[in-house]
Amino acid sequence: MSGHSKWANIQHRKGRQDAKRGKEFTKAAKEIIIAAKSGGDPAGNPRLRAAIAAAKAINLPKDKIESAIRKGTGQDAGGELFEITYEGYAVSGVAVMVETATDNKNRTVAEVRHLFTKHGGSLGESGSVSFMFDKLGVITLNKEKYPDEDTVMNFALEAGADDVKDDEDIWSIHTAMEDFNAVRDSLEKQGVEMESASLAYVPKNYIAVDKEAAEKLIRFNDALEDLDDVQNVYFNFDLPDDFEG
């Protein structure tokens, strides 16, 4: 069991709020489109299987899932999306990773660069901050459903996970990227109800920031998340213990 991240918990809450207003539907559909480019059969395409599971977790309608698969496999128009990850620094030297899915690379880089500059940061070259993160599988469970730590640890160990983090309202189960699908499938077979399951950039170390910097970083995060082309945003900071999100 590792220490908690207050920012991870607030991000999770924000994700649930986004799902309620439809933003997460768009992200989920884009991920399915991209994943389906490697094949439209979930049984033989682990990324597509994970994308569909994530979409179902936020109640994306079945017809939207099927439409996204058809676009990704070229059966329907509208599947020409490019995956681009941007890297840079925010205030207080905080590292930032921004995953995008776009049909217009020039538009996206201009929008992302503008927000970095506007919020006191700078967009960097590829590889400038990615070494500060690990790409891991991250599966979250709701603490209201699973309040007992030992029960969650047993679920995770049985599934072959590497670590469990206590992030306030949620448990975050971490896996190696290559083990992610097997761990998620094992949890499903155990009947575990997952709030989310995806591959994510997890900081190797966290930078402590004060309240003023935290508020600036959260505003920057929200501005990036509001861009239509942005899929996910990752920072390597954590919030002060007395910060109320």
Side-chain angles (χ1 to χ4, degrees):
M1 174 71 69
S2 295
H4 81 280
S5 166
K6 193 176 184 72
W7 172 236
N9 181 55
I10 288 178
Q11 276 185 306
H12 184 74
R13 274 192 238 146
K14 285 176 177 289
R16 286 189 301 208
Q17 291 163 1
D18 283 344
K20 289 177 182 176
R21 63 176 185 256
K23 173 72 171 175
E24 288 295 289
F25 279 13
T26 302
K27 288 185 180 182
K30 281 187 173 183
E31 173 61 18
I32 291 171
I33 290 170
I34 292 169
K37 288 182 178 182
S38 300
D41 180 8
N45 184 337
R47 182 173 179 182
L48 179 58
R49 196 160 67 248
I52 292 171
K56 287 180 177 178
I58 61 168
N59 299 313
L60 183 67
K62 183 180 178 182
D63 64 321
K64 300 289 186 185
I65 292 173
E66 292 172 347
S67 173
I69 293 172
R70 289 195 301 272
K71 287 179 181 178
T73 55
Q75 293 172 271
D76 289 354
E80 189 60 28
L81 290 174
F82 303 94
E83 285 186 282
I84 307 171
T85 299
Y86 298 100
E87 306 178 31
Y89 286 94
V91 296
S92 301
V94 169
V96 192
M97 301 283 293
V98 184
E99 291 183 323
T100 68
T102 179
D103 59 0
N104 186 321
K105 299 177 184 179
N106 293 331
R107 177 193 67 223
T108 304
V109 69
E111 291 177 341
V112 171
R113 189 186 305 278
H114 170 70
L115 288 181
F116 266 88
T117 302
K118 180 180 178 180
H119 290 269
S122 60
L123 192 62
E125 299 295 325
S126 177
S128 59
V129 304
S130 56
F131 66 93
M132 301 181 193
F133 297 80
D134 290 317
K135 192 72 177 284
L136 301 175
V138 179
I139 297 165
T140 61
L141 308 184
N142 189 319
K143 271 195 180 176
E144 289 184 3
K145 290 182 181 176
Y146 301 102
D148 183 65
E149 178 180 324
D150 289 339
T151 299
V152 173
M153 285 296 294
N154 288 336
F155 283 151
L157 292 173
E158 175 69 22
D162 293 333
D163 196 10
V164 176
K165 290 183 178 290
D166 178 352
D167 289 331
E168 295 196 343
D169 294 347
I170 57 172
W171 302 107
S172 294
I173 298 172
H174 288 185
T175 82
M177 191 165 61
E178 60 270 20
D179 297 333
F180 170 65
N181 286 297
V183 171
R184 190 199 64 242
D185 291 349
S186 175
L187 289 171
E188 282 185 347
K189 288 176 182 175
Q190 293 181 65
V192 178
E193 294 183 44
M194 293 166 274
E195 286 228 328
S196 65
S198 63
L199 295 175
Y201 285 100
V202 178
K204 294 178 179 177
N205 296 290
Y206 289 88
I207 295 175
V209 298
D210 60 24
K211 183 179 179 182
E212 181 181 358
E215 290 172 345
K216 289 179 180 178
L217 289 162
I218 289 174
R219 285 196 294 271
F220 183 29
N221 174 80
D222 290 348
L224 287 168
E225 292 275 10
D226 281 342
L227 291 180
D228 288 341
D229 296 334
V230 169
Q231 291 289 92
N232 299 292
V233 183
Y234 307 98
F235 294 85
N236 70 339
F237 78 94
D238 205 5
L239 298 166
D241 286 339
D242 60 352
F243 189 90
E244 294 297 327

